[in-house]
Amino acid sequence: MGKTVLVVDDDPDVRLFNTTVCEENGYTPIEAANGEEGLAILKDKKPDLVILDVLMPKQSGIRLYRELKTSKALKDIRVIILSGIAKKTFLRSQKALTEFGGDEIPEPEIYLEKPVEPEELAEVLKKVLGE
Amino acid sequence: MTKILLIDDEPDILRVLSMSLKADGYEVFTALGGKEGLKLFEREAPSIILTDIRMPGMDGLEVLRRIKECRADTEVIIITGHGDIDSAIEALQFGASDFINKPVRDEALSIALKRAHEKLKIRSQLKDYTNDLETMCEIATEEFERKSNFQAKLIRSSNDGIVATDEDWNIVIINPGAQKIFGYSRADTAGKTDIRALFPKQAIDILEENARHPDSVEEIPWQEMNIISKSGESIPVRFSGATLREKNQMIGSVAFFQDLREIKRLEKELVNSERLAAIGQTVAGMAHCIKNILHGFKGGSYLVDIGIDKNNTDKLKNGWQMIQRTIARTSDLVLDLLSYSKEREVEYEPCRPNEIADDVCELLKENANDYDIEIRKQFSPDIGEIRLDPRILHRGLLNLVSNAIDACIFDDGLQKSHHVKVATALDEDQRIRFEIIDNGSGMDKDVKEKLFTSFFSTKGPKGTGLGLLVTRKLIEEHRGTIEFESEEGEGTRFIIRLPYEMTNRE
């Protein structure tokens, strides 16, 4: 059984695309439609990697990423952000939350902007999961 | 000590008079003839002269004439003999102050001297008084000139245009500020032109109205209007004015003009830069939207490729559906763009607004239920069949209700039980009112400000950033109104009012 990848995105089409890329490359995908669902699965199943969207209802990717990185149990889970939002916008909102009294958190190691080529996503998956 | 000059050809008289006058406290000079007397007069300048009328050589009348020529304010008393009444009268005509008869009696002399003194005193007082008056007058004139100079400079250097008229509306003052605005020089206007030929009718009406009512406020509040300059240019100005009154009588008018050209230019620039910013946001918003659409196409074709490669019908089907959904999304965006940019005729036809509202609710119910959002309907039974454009109503309600559902989906208030209420009612003035109320996320100040002004979306990949703009445009084309109130964390209420026509059946 391959490594598990949690795909968090509110757009079912994006989830289908992401899970297909995972399957085609030998990983086991799990799906979540929003941040709240995603966090529950993260705690429950401890996947090896999360592919995370940013703008979602019921807890956005901005918040989920923050909770993930500040939780002792979850902070080592690798994260790929895949969003229509530009990287600098995401970083700006994280910076604002930090200034607002939040903890200092590391930048995401991989940030992909939609649209992404399936080959590119597959490559990134391989790189991050070390194969 | 008063100086007296005595002139007589008889040394005895001189001696006697001189003794008596010295005793009275005068400084006395004596001369035995007219010529000698005049010399002394020139040297000593006495204020009173007593002279005999009949003397050899230069007589008393000649002495009198010369003295009066030289110093008119000298008192000359003539001493006359018997039967000299004609000469005495002549002397009086020449300006003698008095005459006394020979032999000179002390009593008569002292009366004559007393009179002469009084005259001198009055004359000197009068002179002082006149001098004072002249000085005062000079000071007052100077002060007045200074003040009027100051005011003239004040008027001249004012940035505002100032035009003052007399009671017949003829210009008496037009300062450089006003000349600049109107393009007329002082020579063109002063004293000639009637302001009724120069000012816009609006300003004239105000001034005339003010002039007709002497009890009204004298100052007219500022208001904006356009004046036509000499070159025919229409210039935006702020106008104020007043009629000038004295004892309830109009004596003139004054008008003030502020040139608004620079302000208007800056306002225009501001609007332009805001428009540019809005275009920038549009482009950014569209790029975001198109990125998501591209992602959909890429994902779809990826799945189709896999399906073909592996002969996997499921993948093929999923991929094809994804492509179809993305095509639908593309068409949404294109249609939104089109309906936003195109004018469309409003087409009135008979319809039942409650049914349209119900259709919209049913259409969106499934999506709402997925997120545990309750849709509440509150339709007024008074609304039957009426005439309006059902497509506009459907499009507007669909947009607002799905926005309301999204506001609930996006709301962080996890404990809330979310609902969207759709209400219809008849309003006054032949209007129908629709309210869409949600208890979702509400809007902060920033979102409220941007709501209608730019292509703006809070929905990321799912919003075109055009929905609400299209809705507003359609409603305004239908001569309706759209307004909203929203509280962050509490929810939002949108109200649409549309005018309608009765159907023929009702």
Side-chain angles (χ1 to χ4, degrees):
Chain A
M1 199 64 188
K3 294 185 171 173
T4 49
V5 176
L6 173 63
V7 173
V8 190
D9 204 305
D10 58 328
D11 186 337
D13 283 348
V14 176
R15 287 204 301 275
L16 182 55
F17 171 79
N18 290 352
T19 52
T20 309
V21 173
C22 289
E23 280 165 1
E24 289 299 308
N25 289 279
Y27 304 112
T28 311
I30 323 168
E31 289 181 43
N34 57 58
E36 200 179 287
E37 225 180 281
L39 189 64
I41 294 171
L42 275 168
K43 284 177 180 161
D44 187 35
K45 306 222 163 137
K46 300 267 167 55
D48 299 288
L49 174 83
V50 190
I51 303 175
L52 183 61
D53 185 25
V54 174
L55 281 181
M56 291 179 294
K58 287 191 185 173
Q59 207 176 44
S60 70
I62 295 169
R63 293 260 213 109
L64 180 60
Y65 182 75
R66 186 159 272 276
E67 291 213 18
L68 195 75
K69 286 296 165 189
T70 50
S71 152
K72 260 193 190 147
L74 304 175
K75 73 175 184 337
D76 292 327
I77 296 176
R78 317 294 295 270
V79 179
I80 294 173
I81 303 239
L82 174 61
S83 171
I85 297 270
K87 187 178 181 182
K88 66 174 186 203
T89 311
F90 176 80
L91 292 180
R92 201 161 56 219
S93 58
Q94 287 295 359
K95 194 167 158 252
L97 284 173
T98 304
E99 278 166 7
F100 201 67
D103 294 315
E104 194 82 40
I105 52 159
E107 276 187 26
E109 50 189 318
I110 306 287
Y111 197 109
L112 298 174
E113 279 182 40
K114 292 173 187 173
V116 69
E117 299 291 337
E119 295 79 16
E120 193 188 351
L121 183 58
E123 234 168 75
V124 168
L125 285 171
K126 275 178 199 153
K127 199 178 108 192
V128 174
L129 292 173
E131 276 170 45
Chain B
M1 203 184 279
T2 311
K3 288 178 175 176
I4 286 193
L5 171 61
L6 294 176
I7 310 171
D8 203 311
D9 54 341
E10 288 175 55
D12 291 342
I13 292 181
L14 278 185
R15 197 166 55 243
V16 172
L17 280 178
S18 142
M19 275 165 64
S20 146
L21 289 168
K22 273 177 187 165
D24 285 345
Y26 291 97
E27 190 183 348
V28 184
F29 302 91
T30 56
L32 280 165
K35 273 189 180 159
E36 192 191 340
L38 283 177
K39 268 185 198 154
L40 268 170
F41 169 74
E42 269 162 34
R43 201 179 74 205
E44 300 293 339
S47 47
I48 302 174
I49 290 161
L50 258 101
T51 180
D52 190 11
I53 201 160
R54 285 180 187 274
M55 290 184 292
M58 188 186 287
D59 69 0
L61 283 177
E62 183 62 16
V63 170
L64 168 68
R65 209 177 50 78
R66 295 219 185 166
I67 283 171
K68 285 285 165 188
E69 251 173 32
C70 186
R71 267 176 46 207
D73 57 347
T74 312
E75 293 297 316
V76 181
I77 300 165
I78 303 291
I79 304 168
T80 56
H82 283 299
D84 258 347
I85 193 74
D86 287 346
S87 304
I89 288 167
E90 202 179 342
L92 286 176
Q93 280 169 346
F94 276 133
S97 42
D98 213 341
F99 64 93
I100 46 179
N101 286 319
K102 275 183 181 173
V104 177
R105 283 178 294 123
D106 276 356
E107 204 179 309
L109 180 63
S110 79
I111 289 172
L113 283 174
K114 197 178 162 197
R115 264 194 234 149
H117 263 297
E118 268 166 13
K119 270 191 178 167
L120 276 172
K121 197 171 141 198
I122 288 168
R123 194 175 293 136
S124 138
Q125 275 176 351
L126 201 66
K127 200 173 158 191
D128 287 352
Y129 183 71
T130 311
N131 280 346
D132 271 5
L133 211 62
E134 275 169 6
T135 319
M136 300 276 279
C137 187
E138 250 167 53
I139 292 171
T141 311
E142 261 173 40
E143 179 74 358
F144 175 76
E145 270 176 8
R146 213 168 53 77
K147 279 201 173 147
S148 96
N149 246 339
F150 178 75
Q151 274 166 358
K153 274 184 187 152
L154 208 65
I155 291 170
R156 246 200 326 274
S157 56
S158 164
N159 261 338
D160 290 357
I162 301 174
V163 180
T165 71
D166 59 18
E167 70 273 26
D168 296 322
W169 306 109
N170 286 317
I171 293 173
V172 290
I173 294 174
I174 176 162
N175 78 335
Q179 290 166 26
K180 215 170 96 193
I181 297 172
F182 283 95
Y184 287 95
S185 71
R186 210 187 131 69
D188 283 343
T189 51
K192 286 185 248 167
T193 308
D194 189 315
I195 54 163
R196 285 171 292 192
L198 192 65
F199 289 5
K201 190 176 175 301
Q202 206 181 343
I204 294 298
D205 286 350
I206 292 165
L207 283 171
E208 283 185 335
E209 178 69 17
N210 194 263
R212 268 195 297 275
H213 301 284
D215 309 328
S216 61
V217 279
E218 291 192 11
E219 294 255 338
I220 297 160
W222 288 99
Q223 44 196 291
E224 285 192 18
M225 56 180 69
N226 282 288
I227 60 128
I228 305 296
S229 76
K230 190 181 181 183
S231 61
E233 190 189 348
S234 168
I235 294 170
V237 293
R238 244 155 61 89
F239 161 83
S240 171
T243 47
L244 307 173
R245 296 172 203 145
E246 204 173 73
K247 290 172 191 149
N248 266 344
Q249 186 72 37
M250 174 171 156
I251 56 165
S253 76
V254 61
F256 306 100
F257 295 93
Q258 290 176 342
D259 193 339
L260 296 182
R261 277 176 290 187
E262 183 64 9
I263 291 170
K264 294 279 175 197
R265 191 182 64 75
L266 289 173
E267 271 175 6
K268 214 182 203 168
E269 250 175 37
L270 193 69
V271 167
N272 269 342
S273 62
E274 266 172 11
R275 187 177 301 141
L276 283 177
I279 290 170
Q281 270 174 354
T282 313
V283 171
M286 295 248 307
H288 187 234
C289 202
I290 288 167
K291 271 201 259 178
N292 279 294
I293 284 170
L294 279 176
H295 196 262
F297 279 126
K298 281 199 171 144
S301 42
Y302 171 65
L303 261 72
V304 169
D305 280 348
I306 294 174
I308 292 169
D309 281 355
K310 304 198 169 163
N311 216 358
N312 182 331
T313 331
D314 275 353
K315 287 268 191 283
L316 201 60
K317 215 164 102 190
N318 282 339
W320 182 238
Q321 278 168 356
M322 199 190 288
I323 288 172
Q324 280 175 324
R325 277 193 296 272
T326 310
I327 288 170
R329 250 197 216 184
T330 313
S331 107
D332 279 352
L333 174 68
V334 172
L335 289 178
D336 268 1
L337 273 173
L338 278 180
S339 45
Y340 184 64
S341 56
K342 240 168 64 179
E343 290 284 324
R344 180 178 163 278
E345 281 294 311
V346 177
E347 288 164 19
Y348 282 80
E349 48 185 80
C351 60
R352 293 183 173 274
N354 283 347
E355 282 175 13
I356 295 172
D358 197 49
D359 280 351
V360 169
C361 292
E362 291 305 313
L363 200 61
L364 296 169
K365 205 163 131 191
E366 200 182 328
N367 183 34
N369 286 346
D370 284 350
Y371 290 91
D372 297 327
I373 299 159
E374 184 197 348
I375 295 203
R376 299 177 186 169
K377 305 173 200 169
Q378 194 187 77
F379 301 152
S380 162
D382 300 339
I383 305 169
E385 194 179 64
I386 53 175
R387 283 170 61 84
L388 47 68
D389 189 328
R391 276 164 296 271
I392 288 179
L393 180 58
H394 191 271
R395 172 67 180 73
L397 288 177
L398 191 66
N399 174 240
L400 293 178
V401 176
S402 59
N403 279 356
I405 291 169
D406 285 342
C408 293
I409 296 175
F410 277 85
D411 188 21
D412 285 340
L414 302 171
Q415 310 308 323
K416 255 195 237 173
S417 97
H418 286 115
H419 63 260
V420 172
K421 186 168 130 186
V422 182
T424 64
L426 285 179
D427 230 3
E428 50 200 20
D429 298 337
Q430 191 91 342
R431 275 160 184 266
I432 182 166
R433 186 178 78 232
F434 301 88
E435 287 185 52
I436 298 92
I437 306 155
D438 68 70
N439 65 343
S441 60
M443 296 177 237
D444 62 22
K445 194 169 155 276
D446 199 37
V447 173
K448 279 189 220 172
E449 274 171 10
K450 287 181 185 159
L451 204 59
F452 287 117
T453 51
S454 61
F455 294 70
F456 170 78
S457 177
T458 54
K459 297 189 200 169
K462 280 169 291 295
T464 58
L466 289 168
L468 204 47
L469 277 175
V470 172
T471 298
R472 185 178 66 168
K473 178 175 172 274
L474 291 174
I475 286 169
E476 284 178 353
E477 280 171 1
H478 202 290
R479 285 178 294 112
T481 59
I482 179 166
E483 49 196 271
F484 72 97
E485 43 202 58
S486 183
E487 195 71 46
E488 197 178 358
E490 300 292 324
T492 301
R493 171 203 297 259
F494 269 90
I495 302 163
I496 301 179
R497 290 185 174 86
L498 287 179
Y500 64 87
E501 294 166 0
M502 302 305 273
T503 52
N504 296 333
R505 266 169 280 170
E506 277 178 85

